[in-house]
Amino acid sequence: MSKLLSEWSPSEPAINLIKLNGVEDEQIQKSLEYLKGQNDLSDIDDVEGYDNWDAFFIMFCVKANKNLN
């Protein structure tokens, strides 16, 4: 499995978990576009404390959504 962000898409279980945390589709899409636009993030090994993009994306979306409310 590739660890490159440019080649990654969130899994259906990850999306479902994000939605269970009250994050709407529009915010999920904005978060995905934002992360994929980050030039300094390319490989999951660049992100301390995470070993896969789904786990990182779930936490990113949930935290971003809490900051909006």
Side-chain angles (χ1 to χ4, degrees):
M1 182 166 134
S2 176
K3 294 182 178 182
L4 296 178
L5 180 59
S6 62
E7 298 173 2
W8 172 82
S9 291
S11 68
E12 186 175 333
I15 296 293
N16 290 339
L17 186 55
I18 293 166
K19 288 180 180 181
L20 283 174
N21 280 279
V23 182
E24 300 199 9
D25 289 334
E26 182 179 347
Q27 184 61 37
I28 293 170
Q29 186 61 36
K30 286 180 182 180
S31 295
L32 184 58
E33 290 171 9
Y34 175 81
L35 284 178
K36 287 198 173 212
Q38 298 303 302
N39 294 331
D40 56 339
L41 287 178
S42 62
D43 191 289
I44 191 62
D45 293 335
D46 297 337
V47 184
E48 187 175 331
Y50 294 94
D51 62 355
N52 68 68
W53 286 116
D54 275 343
F56 176 70
F57 188 62
I58 290 166
M59 292 307 298
F60 182 85
C61 285
V62 170
K63 287 181 179 183
N65 191 58
K66 285 183 180 180
N67 289 337
L68 293 175
N69 295 324

